[in-house]
Amino acid sequence: MNNLKPHIISEGKLQYQLGELDGNQIIYDFDKMLIYLNAKGKLLFGSKFKIYEEDRAVLFKLCNYFIKDETNCKKLGVDIHKGILLTGPVGCGKTSLMKLLRYMVPHQKPFKIIPSRNISFGFNHIGYKTINDYGDNHYYCFDDLGVEPMGRHYGKDCNVMGEILLSRYDLYSEHKVKTHATTNLNAKELGERYGCRVRSRMRQMFNLISFDSNSLDKRS
């Protein structure tokens, strides 16, 4: 990204203009953002990647969130100060989009995408240090939340991601540290998995953005 032209992103020899610069403000063009995301997606995930028209409404919310368009976000019921909980059926493209959207705003604080199952497995090896490790000021996206196995360390079971979410809620409440997540589960299933207390905290720290339950499986 050219710091003098933050609305233009370079990929190799190609440049993608995402909007127009108006003083210190970028006036983004959604269709131009989709062109860039489609091109970057092919670079990251292969030539078969494409942006689907049926996902346009979800992408409109996500794009406005990531560019911090407060006016549009307010209309869409999205709080730019909260994180994103992106839900939808298996294979609808949740993880790919969260990986992809980071590249559209390289001037913003990045977030790491961590599979929830890897965190649970880490707990099995090193115990509660795993939970403490995620109680920092970094931004994370916990991928496939809710289907990770229960943690077990020295014979003691622990709902690892539930504990981490509580820690992340404290960080959000006190310091506005964002957490994102993707999940195949609905609100009821998340409540059953983590309990009412965690589910209540999740409502306060996340914007819920959902793919249609009949969304295509894009892995084939």
Side-chain angles (χ1 to χ4, degrees), residues 27 45 57 188:
I27 309 302
F45 309 119
K188 182 174 182 290

Side-chain angles (χ1 to χ4, degrees), residues 182-201:
T182 71
T183 184
N184 304 328
L185 305 186
N186 59 35
K188 182 174 182 290
E189 291 167 331
L190 286 168
E192 291 170 352
R193 181 70 174 82
Y194 296 116
C196 294
R197 183 179 175 216
V198 174
R199 179 66 190 127
S200 173
R201 299 292 187 270

Side-chain angles (χ1 to χ4, degrees), residues 1-8 21 26 106-107:
M1 183 188 70
N2 187 332
N3 288 330
L4 297 177
K5 296 180 178 179
H7 60 306
I8 297 175
L21 199 59
I26 302 173
H107 51 290

Side-chain angles (χ1 to χ4, degrees), residues 54-86:
E54 68 166 43
D55 297 335
R56 191 177 177 92
V58 169
L59 274 162
F60 188 66
K61 284 185 179 181
L62 289 170
C63 284
N64 277 284
Y65 171 83
F66 278 103
I67 65 174
K68 298 184 177 179
D69 186 323
E70 291 194 59
T71 301
N72 272 339
C73 282
K74 191 171 183 179
K75 292 177 185 175
L76 295 164
V78 175
D79 186 337
I80 63 170
H81 302 293
K82 293 183 177 183
I84 293 291
L85 177 62
L86 188 57

